Every structure is written in C-alpha cells, then in structure tokens.
Amino acid sequence: MNKKLRNKIILFTIIFIIGVVLDQVTKYLIKTNFELYESKTVIDGFFSITYVINTGAAWSFLNEHTWLLTIISVVSCAACSYFLFSPKYEKDNIFYKLGLSLIVAGGFGNLIDRALFQGVVDFLAFIIFGYHFPTFNVADICVVSGVIGLLIWMIQEDRANKKQLKGSE
C-alpha cells in the first residue's frame, strides 16, 4: 500500500470514528436524559436542546419516507467513499478529503438512527432573527461541514483552472 493511500485511510478512519461516535453519544445522552419533545432553554430566545425524532430529512422533507432516505444515505456514503478512495478520482486536496470523509461520517450517523429508530434523533434547536431553524444533530453538522469543504475545494479548483487558462493564452 502506498503512503498516500495509507494516509488517506488513516484520515478517513479518524474523522469517521470521531464523527459517528460524537453523533451517537450525543444522541444517546439526549434519549436518556430527555422525554420526547422535551425542551430545555440554553440561551433564551436563541438556543435550546429539544428532543425530537425526524422521520424526514432537513425541514422534514420526505417526512415518513425513511426507507427512501435510508437508500439515499447508503448510496451517498458509498459514492463519497468511492470518490475518496478511487485512484481515478485522486485529489491531493485536504478540503476534498475532509469533505467526503465528513459527509460519510454524518450520513452513517443518521443511517444508524434510521435503521434503529425509523427516524433521526435531532436536538439542537436555534431561533435566528425570529425564525425557528430546523432542529438538527452532530451528524447533520458533519454533512454540512463536508459540503462546505467540497465547495471550498471546487472554488480552489476553479481558480486554479482559470489561472492555468490565463497562463496558456
């Protein structure tokens, strides 16, 4: 096994384990210390911990379609893993590697919930400028952070391509 692949596997494994364990431990703490729909204010008018089970995706999109979301999660985790480890899509960029690894960790964390509870345990509830933002969890933070990482990588790639095109004129 070459050094690059070994380092990528180590990075992925560390991110995956930390992401999934942190997600599952926080969800366990919520399930064992809160009643369903119980809410405790942390910062009045801004942040509370509220235990809910979401049978959909963000904003309860595809609510009650856990089977479809389970399939989407499995396919997404498999696709991200493929792009991360396939020599065909080798990218020597930390944002690319972190992004895909975080998406897999978050997807897997929520996949565990869907398999065990037919819905995802959410508990982080924010009110921003009077708007009740959808309640979310650590796995969701991983997925969103991973997407941000991929967006940063894409912007870097676009700038490098534009620079290369300018230089060849």
Side-chain angles (χ1 to χ4, degrees), residues 129-145:
F129 302 115
Y131 173 72
H132 289 265
F133 198 78
T135 308
F136 58 98
N137 59 44
V138 173
D140 299 332
I141 293 169
C142 289
V143 170
V144 169
S145 299

Side-chain angles (χ1 to χ4, degrees), residues 12-83:
F12 172 81
T13 303
I14 290 168
I15 291 170
F16 182 81
I17 290 171
I18 290 171
V20 172
V21 168
L22 188 59
D23 177 62
Q24 291 300 302
V25 166
T26 55
K27 289 173 179 176
Y28 173 79
L29 290 171
I30 293 301
K31 290 184 294 186
T32 56
N33 292 295
F34 284 73
E35 296 294 322
L36 189 59
Y37 305 114
E38 181 181 354
S39 184
K40 292 187 180 173
T41 300
V42 177
I43 301 172
D44 193 34
F46 178 67
F47 174 59
S48 62
I49 297 174
T50 305
Y51 174 25
V52 296
I53 299 285
N54 183 358
T55 59
W59 290 273
S60 295
F61 178 69
L62 294 174
N63 203 20
E64 302 299 327
H65 290 86
T66 301
W67 63 272
L68 179 60
L69 292 168
T70 300
I71 292 168
I72 291 170
S73 293
V74 168
V75 169
S76 298
C77 287
C80 287
S81 297
Y82 174 74
F83 285 118

Side-chain angles (χ1 to χ4, degrees), residues 112-167:
I112 292 169
D113 284 21
R114 285 193 179 92
L116 296 177
F117 313 115
Q118 287 68 52
V120 173
V121 174
D122 286 333
F123 57 91
L124 300 169
F126 286 87
I127 300 171
I128 300 171
F129 302 115
Y131 173 72
H132 289 265
F133 198 78
T135 308
F136 58 98
N137 59 44
V138 173
D140 299 332
I141 293 169
C142 289
V143 170
V144 169
S145 299
V147 170
I148 290 168
L150 289 180
L151 288 172
I152 292 169
W153 165 73
M154 290 169 66
I155 291 167
Q156 289 177 339
E157 286 288 300
D158 184 57
R159 286 183 179 162
N161 289 338
K162 285 180 181 176
K163 196 174 196 179
Q164 189 176 29
L165 284 173
K166 256 187 174 177

